[in-house]
């Protein structure tokens, strides 16, 4: 992401960070124009953790700002046919949108 921003002359306007999303974001309220999360909401997080994370994003994004995210699609081969070894280690991780939440 940093390289793409640099190539487009936007490096001074983009900030990236690595953060444990199960903890509050280290940013003030209404402090960012936009947030981008690639597959973050597909991670092995509980419903409560996802709600907390989205609440934190809402807290830090300025009014009128945007939250852009990507998620798996039920047509994605990995979502339909999970790796059995991973499914055993993380039984809730590979649930698709068609499956009910326990």
């Amino acid at each position: 992401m940093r390289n793409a921003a640099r190539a487009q002359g936007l490096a001074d306007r983009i900030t990236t960070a690595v953060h444990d999303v199960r903890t509050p974001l280290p940013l003030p309220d209404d402090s960012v124009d936009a947030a981008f999360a690639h597959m973050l909401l597909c991670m092995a997080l509980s419903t409560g953790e996802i709600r907390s994370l989205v609440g934190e994003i809402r807290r830090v994004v300025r009014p009128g700002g945007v939250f852009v995210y990507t998620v798996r699609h039920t047509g994605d081969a990995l979502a339909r046919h999970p790796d059995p070894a991973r499914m055993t280690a993380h039984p809730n991780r590979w649930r698709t949108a068609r499956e009910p939440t326990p």
Side-chain angles (χ1 to χ4, degrees), residues 2-3 9 11 24 32-33 47 52 63-64 73 77 79 81 86 90 102:
R2 290 179 189 158
N3 290 338
V32 300
D33 295 317
T47 300
S52 178
H73 183 275
H81 305 289
R86 287 187 179 189
H90 303 285

Side-chain angles (χ1 to χ4, degrees), residues 38-43 69-82 93-99:
H38 175 64
M39 304 297 283
L40 179 61
L41 301 178
C42 297
M43 300 300 293
Y69 60 92
T70 62
V71 294
R72 285 222 181 270
H73 183 275
T74 56
D76 181 339
L78 185 57
R80 288 180 298 158
H81 305 289
R93 183 175 191 167
W94 298 108
R95 187 175 12 269
T96 69
R98 294 182 187 147
E99 296 175 337

